[in-house]
Amino acid sequence: MYQLDELLSLLEQRIKTIELPQTPKQLYEPISYSLNAQGKRIRPLMLLLAANMYNDHIEEAVNAALAIEIFHNFTLLHDDIMDNAPLRRGRPSVYARWNSNIAILSGDAMTILAYQWLARCRTDKLNILLEEFNKLAIGVCEGQQYDMDYETQDHVSIENYINMITLKTSVLIAGALKMGAIIGGAPKDDCDKLYDFGIRLGIAFQIQDDMLDLYGNKNFGKPIGGDIVSGKKSFLHLKAMEKATENDRNILAKLIQDTSLDDQDKISKIRALYDYYNVKEEAVYAINRYFSEASDIFNTIDLPIHRKTEMKALSLLLLNREK
Amino acid sequence: MYQLDELLSLLEQRIKTIELPQTPKQLYEPISYSLNAQGKRIRPLMLLLAANMYNDHIEEAVNAALAIEIFHNFTLLHDDIMDNAPLRRGRPSVYARWNSNIAILSGDAMTILAYQWLARCRTDKLNILLEEFNKLAIGVCEGQQYDMDYETQDHVSIENYINMITLKTSVLIAGALKMGAIIGGAPKDDCDKLYDFGIRLGIAFQIQDDMLDLYGNKNFGKPIGGDIVSGKKSFLHLKAMEKATENDRNILAKLIQDTSLDDQDKISKIRALYDYYNVKEEAVYAINRYFSEASDIFNTIDLPIHRKTEMKALSLLLLNREK
């Protein structure tokens, strides 16, 4: 069994030594730039941990983990163009540092690189791994499309939102877990359980992300209230819209789209309404509920406790909880 | 053995019945729009023909052929954004009809759809097919990057150009042929020969495309001289630059970048220089040379003549030649 920090070191070292061609420079430099940004490596770690729950030999899983990490970074490259996001992990995003065309094409090449790493996995499982990978990849695209649709849509329900983040965030985590389990040789039932665990964990993680955007105290270097400034229909916003009186709903709908307001003014006006309707508590409640569902599923996996410790630790870390 | 037109009908029918999810609409409608444009289907046809040279059962090859066609159409979606090309096959391109973000994301989804079709291929060959597919896919990205690089680069040699079109055009044709041969069960040697045949054929095809842009008489509905108007460094242009005196080279370099000139004026000025340096004849010579190399390779494939007839016919058709 590997410990979490051992797996993270292994992963960082393997990412650092990915060999990319030297030319064309404008295609491969942005890829290297993107992969070497200090990401949290959550998704590939999940994959490795799932494999390691069932098998001490994780070398094969590393290939799939790299595929997942490269794919995840590709989605960030393209999302940043679509969302006009000039910053990523405290540095200029690829499209901002180079240009949109370069970000489009480097992203395309990253998708293919991801499949190249996947293709290194053991032949007799490649078929099923490819199927899982395709499923999560198309899910992420669908989730991103719903996210863009909702930007201009008047009414978005919490149910719509959960469906959207399930596709955009959860299926990648869930799919990574399932792929790891498959490579590790887990029984089919456990593969499905880890998938379902990942779906719930991903939802809890995304709602928490929305919550911390406004109510976090450090917020990973991002400015507090960024979602409000950019007019994002976050969990907080949708919950407030759900609970508000018709009058307050109209005010909220107008405020969130208002681009004439000073940032701090917009944040404090909207936050006052969020606070009035206790949406922070609603978010915490939802996070706890999804996290507890995730834990319940995880606990039914029949393995010696020491083989489950590290995965449990990562899921707690993900939700910023103490052990 | 199938005849060319039978394979084309089969292909069109299979493309028409590709089932796409209904939602998110903005993700899947552009994909359906793109796949149902009347393309020439050259690449998937090549794949089917290669498979059919060795095997009468081509059902499995159809899956790979669809993967190739979907991938090819994905590259067009993204290329049109990068090249600011508002028209494609006589209709608005996806980014022009919807918007860039939709074209980016639909294109991304198409890449994954392509891999989904590929994943339907018989398991025991999936590994090698995936490897070939990844190789051609990354080649196309590299070719597109060189193409963009050359737009702003002062000196581009004919050698640079051949390398660029090999990646951008030929590896997709060559890879499709090799994949078809693999699925059909061809000997390894024949797979490689068909690949090399495809490389030469693709180069001849691309130089012809450049030549017809200015010297063609119908030109598939595109305006005559479009490459000159858009300042493209075509084979014609690079050959003229290679042969011209220093003085004429400077004139050509200025003219091709001149956006202040009236279109017809720009075309006739540049065409006069191309004519003076006989670049049309140089292009015809190069097309013949690459086509003849392709034929020579094809002729060494040891199969009964009737199994090679349809592939020969398609290659002749591609180069607008009589049988």
Side-chain angles (χ1 to χ4, degrees):
Chain A
M1 281 295 294
Y2 289 89
Q3 294 201 309
L4 205 46
D5 53 351
E6 290 174 319
L7 289 178
L8 186 60
S9 306
L10 171 71
L11 207 48
E12 285 297 350
Q13 188 260 325
R14 290 296 302 273
I15 290 169
K16 210 171 286 165
T17 53
I18 288 177
E19 277 181 29
L20 294 172
Q22 291 297 306
T23 55
K25 221 174 136 183
Q26 302 271 58
L27 185 69
Y28 289 112
E29 263 189 10
I31 297 178
S32 167
Y33 176 83
S34 159
L35 292 178
N36 289 305
Q38 289 309 313
K40 294 189 288 293
R41 317 294 188 198
I42 293 164
R43 295 150 189 85
L45 263 183
M46 288 267 170
L47 192 151
L48 290 182
L49 283 170
N52 199 205
M53 280 169 66
Y54 299 92
N55 204 316
D56 286 335
H57 301 287
I58 55 159
E59 189 46 38
E60 196 194 345
V62 173
N63 293 324
L66 292 179
I68 286 286
E69 182 65 6
I70 295 169
F71 182 81
H72 172 59
N73 279 279
F74 138 71
T75 67
L76 302 181
L77 241 75
H78 280 192
D79 282 4
D80 286 344
I81 309 172
M82 296 183 240
D83 301 344
N84 281 310
L87 283 176
R88 167 69 59 188
R89 296 167 182 151
R91 305 184 311 171
S93 56
V94 168
Y95 97 89
R97 167 137 177 194
W98 284 271
N99 60 51
S100 287
N101 284 351
I102 283 178
I104 292 173
L105 197 60
S106 297
D108 292 345
M110 285 174 89
T111 322
I112 299 154
L113 280 181
Y115 280 99
Q116 282 183 333
W117 280 96
L118 188 63
R120 297 188 186 197
C121 290
R122 211 164 61 211
T123 311
D124 66 344
K125 283 177 183 166
L126 185 60
N127 210 27
I128 181 164
L129 290 173
L130 184 57
E131 206 176 290
E132 285 303 323
F133 192 85
N134 286 335
K135 197 171 96 182
L136 72 84
I138 201 77
V140 172
C141 290
E142 291 182 354
Q144 170 68 5
Q145 184 60 54
Y146 283 122
D147 201 8
M148 294 200 295
D149 288 349
Y150 294 165
E151 273 173 30
T152 55
Q153 199 168 304
D154 281 342
H155 178 70
V156 179
S157 68
I158 293 284
E159 196 189 334
N160 292 150
Y161 168 88
I162 297 291
N163 178 50
M164 183 273 282
I165 63 171
T166 299
L167 289 164
K168 194 172 167 170
T169 304
S170 290
V171 297
L172 185 49
I173 292 175
L177 285 165
K178 188 169 178 182
M179 287 171 69
I182 291 167
I183 296 171
K188 190 182 171 313
D189 210 37
D190 283 15
C191 294
D192 294 338
K193 281 177 180 175
L194 280 164
Y195 188 89
D196 293 341
F197 161 70
I199 292 290
R200 268 73 169 186
L201 195 66
I203 296 173
F205 178 62
Q206 189 58 54
I207 297 175
Q208 175 181 266
D209 204 57
D210 284 13
M211 195 264 282
L212 292 178
D213 186 81
L214 186 62
Y215 296 106
N217 41 23
K218 43 185 172 120
N219 207 15
F220 315 109
K222 284 183 276 184
I224 293 288
D227 284 352
I228 289 180
V229 174
S230 69
K232 192 181 148 186
K233 282 165 185 150
S234 68
F235 181 87
L236 302 176
H237 191 74
L238 297 175
K239 202 70 197 178
M241 292 291 281
E242 188 184 87
K243 295 178 79 181
T245 60
E246 199 184 330
N247 191 38
D248 282 350
R249 202 155 51 233
N250 291 335
I251 293 172
L252 270 169
K254 268 195 199 116
L255 276 174
I256 196 78
Q257 285 178 33
D258 197 330
T259 51
S260 69
L261 285 173
D262 164 74
D263 286 356
Q264 287 313 314
D265 195 21
K266 184 175 179 180
I267 293 170
S268 70
K269 280 200 169 82
I270 290 184
R271 184 178 166 147
L273 279 158
Y274 287 179
D275 286 346
Y276 180 79
Y277 288 106
N278 291 317
V279 295
K280 184 187 171 187
E281 289 69 26
E282 294 276 358
V284 171
Y285 173 78
I287 295 164
N288 286 338
R289 189 161 62 85
Y290 284 106
F291 185 74
S292 134
E293 284 182 21
S295 297
D296 288 349
I297 296 168
F298 188 74
N299 291 336
T300 66
I301 295 176
D302 192 17
L303 274 182
I305 194 101
H306 75 276
R307 296 215 78 98
K308 295 168 75 179
T309 321
E310 299 302 304
M311 181 69 87
K312 194 87 198 166
L314 180 59
S315 69
L316 288 165
L317 219 78
L318 206 61
L319 275 297
N320 300 308
R321 285 153 196 250
E322 298 298 320
K323 267 199 221 189
Chain B
M1 280 294 294
Y2 290 88
Q3 295 201 308
L4 206 45
D5 53 352
E6 290 173 319
L7 289 178
L8 186 58
S9 307
L10 172 71
L11 208 48
E12 286 297 350
Q13 188 260 325
R14 290 295 302 272
I15 290 169
K16 210 170 288 166
T17 54
I18 288 177
E19 278 182 27
L20 295 172
Q22 292 297 307
T23 54
K25 221 174 135 183
Q26 302 270 57
L27 185 69
Y28 289 111
E29 263 189 9
I31 297 177
S32 167
Y33 176 82
S34 158
L35 292 178
N36 289 305
Q38 289 309 314
K40 294 189 288 293
R41 318 294 188 199
I42 293 164
R43 294 149 189 86
L45 263 183
M46 287 268 170
L47 192 151
L48 290 182
L49 283 171
N52 200 204
M53 280 169 66
Y54 298 92
N55 203 315
D56 286 334
H57 302 287
I58 56 158
E59 189 46 39
E60 196 194 346
V62 173
N63 293 324
L66 292 179
I68 285 287
E69 182 64 6
I70 295 168
F71 181 81
H72 172 59
N73 280 279
F74 138 70
T75 66
L76 301 181
L77 242 75
H78 281 193
D79 282 4
D80 286 344
I81 309 172
M82 296 183 240
D83 300 343
N84 282 311
L87 282 176
R88 167 69 61 188
R89 296 169 183 151
R91 304 184 311 171
S93 57
V94 168
Y95 97 90
R97 167 138 177 192
W98 284 270
N99 59 52
S100 287
N101 285 351
I102 283 178
I104 292 173
L105 196 60
S106 297
D108 291 345
M110 284 175 90
T111 321
I112 299 154
L113 280 182
Y115 280 99
Q116 281 183 334
W117 280 96
L118 189 62
R120 297 186 185 197
C121 289
R122 211 164 61 212
T123 311
D124 67 343
K125 283 176 183 166
L126 184 61
N127 211 27
I128 181 164
L129 290 173
L130 184 57
E131 206 176 290
E132 285 303 324
F133 192 85
N134 286 336
K135 198 172 95 181
L136 71 83
I138 201 77
V140 172
C141 290
E142 291 182 354
Q144 171 69 5
Q145 184 61 53
Y146 283 122
D147 200 9
M148 294 200 295
D149 287 349
Y150 293 165
E151 273 172 31
T152 54
Q153 199 167 304
D154 280 341
H155 179 69
V156 179
S157 67
I158 293 284
E159 197 189 332
N160 292 149
Y161 168 88
I162 297 291
N163 179 50
M164 183 272 284
I165 63 170
T166 298
L167 289 165
K168 194 171 166 171
T169 304
S170 289
V171 297
L172 185 48
I173 292 175
L177 286 164
K178 188 169 179 182
M179 287 172 71
I182 290 168
I183 296 171
K188 189 178 171 317
D189 210 37
D190 284 15
C191 294
D192 294 338
K193 281 178 180 174
L194 280 165
Y195 188 89
D196 293 341
F197 160 70
I199 292 290
R200 268 72 171 187
L201 195 65
I203 296 172
F205 179 61
Q206 189 58 54
I207 297 175
Q208 177 182 263
D209 205 57
D210 284 12
M211 195 264 282
L212 292 178
D213 185 82
L214 186 62
Y215 295 107
N217 40 23
K218 44 187 173 122
N219 207 16
F220 315 109
K222 284 184 276 184
I224 293 288
D227 284 351
I228 289 179
V229 174
S230 69
K232 192 180 148 188
K233 281 166 186 151
S234 67
F235 181 88
L236 302 177
H237 191 75
L238 297 175
K239 202 69 196 179
M241 292 290 281
E242 188 184 88
K243 294 179 80 180
T245 60
E246 200 183 332
N247 192 37
D248 282 349
R249 202 156 51 233
N250 291 336
I251 294 173
L252 269 169
K254 268 194 199 118
L255 276 174
I256 196 79
Q257 286 178 35
D258 196 330
T259 51
S260 69
L261 285 173
D262 164 75
D263 286 357
Q264 287 313 316
D265 195 21
K266 184 174 179 181
I267 293 170
S268 70
K269 280 200 169 80
I270 291 184
R271 185 178 165 147
L273 279 158
Y274 287 179
D275 286 346
Y276 179 79
Y277 288 107
N278 291 317
V279 295
K280 184 187 171 187
E281 289 68 28
E282 294 277 358
V284 170
Y285 173 78
I287 295 164
N288 286 339
R289 189 161 62 86
Y290 283 107
F291 185 74
S292 135
E293 284 182 21
S295 297
D296 288 349
I297 296 169
F298 188 74
N299 291 337
T300 66
I301 294 176
D302 192 16
L303 274 182
I305 195 101
H306 75 277
R307 297 215 77 98
K308 296 167 73 179
T309 319
E310 299 301 305
M311 181 69 87
K312 194 88 199 168
L314 179 60
S315 70
L316 288 165
L317 219 78
L318 206 61
L319 274 300
N320 301 309
R321 285 154 197 252
E322 298 298 319
K323 267 200 220 188

